[in-house]
Amino acid sequence: MDQQQCIIDTHHITTHTMGRGDLGRGEGEKRLRYMLKDGSCPVVFHQSPGQWSFFLADIFTTLVELRWRVMLLIFCLSYILSWLFFSLLYFLIAYVHKDLEDHDTAPCVANVRSFTSAFLYSMSTQATIGYGFRVMTENCMVAIVVVTIQALMSCFIDTVVIGITVAKMACASKRAQTVGFSSCAVVNARDGALCLVWRIADFRRNHILEGTARAQLVRPMKHPSGMISVTYQDLDIQSRHLILATPASIVHKLEPGSPLYSLGPDSLTEEDFDLVVSFTYTGDSTGILHQTRTSYTPADIRWGQRFQDMVQVGRRHYKVDYALFHQTTCVQTPVVSAQEGNRGRPPTTESIVQSQQPFVRSSRKFRRSLADVSEEVVQEAWL
């Protein structure tokens, strides 16, 4: 088969299959994924224990995880409410000291004769380091204490706002968007064995030095009683630790012990599972731990295909064509499962040696037992 005549762009193709897990769904209803392609999980919590107490106990993480518009609204309200609160205190101090009625008395705060002027004084106290028309005097100790508290409160609010803004801008999920997985996984023959392969690449120029790849097979199961349970099973990956300077292929060999060992191209579409893959790494620019993850359903696995070659060796550089990152091409692959393919394969030298090992061990044990018996006979003869 001419490989150049069967090139498939899987980036814009979406296939939905009806399998065992889809029993009871409508004809046009899509299968619910355990994890979406962007790494998020479609899970909604109802009546969680503690509710708001958990979010208030870790308020910093709660504010970092909020959306930008909600966080900016909270920060604006924190400043405005603090200005209103302290302006009310300055107004009460002026009212008790009778600065509002008698303009001839020495005021606690100069030129604060109304609530509006008290609000302007509160805002200038918290937003600036100096005073102009309205200024604190030494006539009221209570007003001096309130100014001191407001100055400390201003430092605290500024620290929280700056810290959360920086943490939100350097959020690990932003860096994770520049590390991507291929839109599909493929099954083809490698070194005489069927392998499941998917791609990963770093799209930034300051590449990741090293990371760890992981894959889990997640199966949501619905019992006859109506209870839903989720099982997790790790997949063995060849070359788990990667240097992601160029796009890399992550390979899982379909061998005995693999949960996909007995699945063929026909039975694969009848299965209901999510292959959750992740890549954990440390950013070389920030030193922050990141993780990129996605999932593949049986509809996202292409049997008998391989990824297009996208790395070329130049005279001074390695050239990477990311336009081919999601493209696959057809290759000759057995249309049976790895288990069925191994049954029809003639025994290899390695399997013959392994099958002869029990016989060799038993013959050695028999010779040792004969030696022990002969030694006992010699001892009895000597006695």
Side-chain angles (χ1 to χ4, degrees):
M1 180 183 296
D2 189 1
Q3 296 181 359
Q4 300 300 326
Q5 296 179 357
C6 185
I7 299 176
I8 304 173
D9 186 1
T10 60
H11 186 53
H12 302 287
I13 295 178
T14 302
T15 305
H16 302 286
T17 60
M18 298 292 293
R20 299 173 184 172
D22 298 281
L23 295 177
R25 295 190 178 95
E27 184 176 352
E29 189 176 355
K30 299 179 181 178
R31 175 191 178 276
L32 181 61
R33 305 176 70 106
Y34 183 79
M35 178 178 290
L36 303 180
K37 297 296 288 185
D38 60 354
S40 60
C41 297
V43 179
V44 178
F45 297 119
H46 291 286
Q47 299 181 357
S48 59
Q51 294 183 348
W52 289 104
S53 60
F54 290 140
F55 298 98
L56 295 178
D58 190 8
I59 188 63
F60 182 82
T61 305
T62 302
L63 293 176
V64 170
E65 292 178 349
L66 289 176
R67 296 183 177 180
W68 275 105
R69 56 178 178 268
V70 179
M71 188 190 68
L72 292 177
L73 177 62
I74 293 176
F75 287 164
C76 293
L77 289 177
S78 64
Y79 281 108
I80 294 174
L81 293 179
S82 64
W83 295 341
L84 289 173
F85 174 74
F86 285 101
S87 63
L88 180 62
L89 294 181
Y90 294 133
F91 180 77
L92 291 177
I93 291 173
Y95 177 79
V96 173
H97 198 257
K98 298 182 179 181
D99 295 341
L100 305 179
E101 301 174 359
D102 190 1
H103 292 184
D104 295 332
T105 59
C108 294
V109 182
N111 300 311
V112 173
R113 305 296 181 177
S114 63
F115 182 78
T116 304
S117 59
F119 178 79
L120 294 175
Y121 173 73
S122 174
M123 185 172 57
S124 62
T125 300
Q126 189 166 336
T128 63
I129 59 175
Y131 299 96
F133 182 67
R134 299 173 181 86
V135 63
M136 176 61 62
T137 64
E138 57 184 11
N139 297 325
C140 298
M141 182 58 65
V142 178
I144 296 175
V145 173
V146 173
V147 170
T148 304
I149 295 175
Q150 186 177 9
L152 296 176
M153 182 66 68
S154 175
C155 295
F156 175 76
I157 295 177
D158 292 341
T159 302
V160 173
V161 170
I162 295 174
I164 293 178
T165 303
V166 172
K168 194 170 182 64
M169 292 178 64
C171 187
S173 60
K174 305 301 180 183
R175 180 64 176 93
Q177 295 177 358
T178 60
V179 177
F181 288 92
S182 57
S183 58
C184 69
V186 297
V187 176
N188 51 47
R190 289 193 172 199
D191 300 329
L194 289 177
C195 297
L196 177 66
V197 186
W198 60 92
R199 260 181 179 172
I200 184 173
D202 183 13
F203 305 125
R204 293 182 65 93
R205 292 187 179 274
N206 52 337
H207 298 292
I208 301 167
L209 298 181
E210 187 178 1
T212 303
R214 185 182 179 186
Q216 271 191 333
L217 200 68
V218 182
R219 294 179 182 269
M221 300 177 60
K222 187 174 182 180
H223 300 275
S225 61
M227 183 184 67
I228 298 177
S229 62
V230 182
T231 60
Y232 306 87
Q233 189 171 1
D234 292 331
L235 300 184
D236 293 331
I237 296 176
Q238 298 179 2
S239 302
R240 184 180 299 272
H241 302 282
L242 303 175
I243 300 177
L244 209 60
T246 58
S249 297
I250 304 177
V251 180
H252 167 66
K253 189 175 181 180
L254 303 183
E255 57 185 0
S258 170
L260 306 176
Y261 180 62
S262 60
L263 298 182
D266 296 330
S267 59
L268 181 64
T269 57
E270 301 177 359
E271 290 293 319
D272 185 14
F273 64 82
D274 281 61
L275 177 61
V276 179
V277 298
S278 63
F279 184 67
T280 306
Y281 52 94
T282 301
D284 54 350
S285 301
T286 60
I288 301 176
L289 188 66
H290 307 270
Q291 185 183 73
T292 302
R293 56 185 179 269
T294 189
S295 68
Y296 300 105
T297 61
D300 299 325
I301 300 177
R302 311 283 186 252
W303 195 282
Q305 299 181 20
R306 69 170 182 85
F307 289 107
Q308 283 281 83
D309 296 332
M310 55 183 299
V311 180
Q312 298 179 357
V313 180
R315 297 185 60 181
R316 300 181 59 183
H317 304 282
Y318 288 93
K319 299 179 181 180
V320 181
D321 186 5
Y322 279 104
L324 305 175
F325 182 67
H326 299 283
Q327 290 189 3
T328 62
T329 180
C330 299
V331 292
Q332 293 183 354
T333 306
V335 291
V336 296
S337 65
Q339 184 178 13
E340 294 176 354
N342 291 337
R343 287 176 182 174
R345 185 179 304 172
T348 59
T349 305
E350 182 180 358
S351 60
I352 294 176
V353 172
Q354 292 179 355
S355 62
Q356 290 179 352
Q357 284 181 357
F359 175 75
V360 173
R361 286 195 297 266
S362 60
S363 61
R364 290 177 180 175
K365 187 182 298 184
F366 178 72
R367 285 197 297 268
R368 284 197 300 269
S369 61
L370 284 179
D372 295 338
V373 171
S374 60
E375 185 177 358
E376 292 179 358
V377 171
V378 171
Q379 290 179 357
E380 292 178 356
W382 176 259
L383 292 176

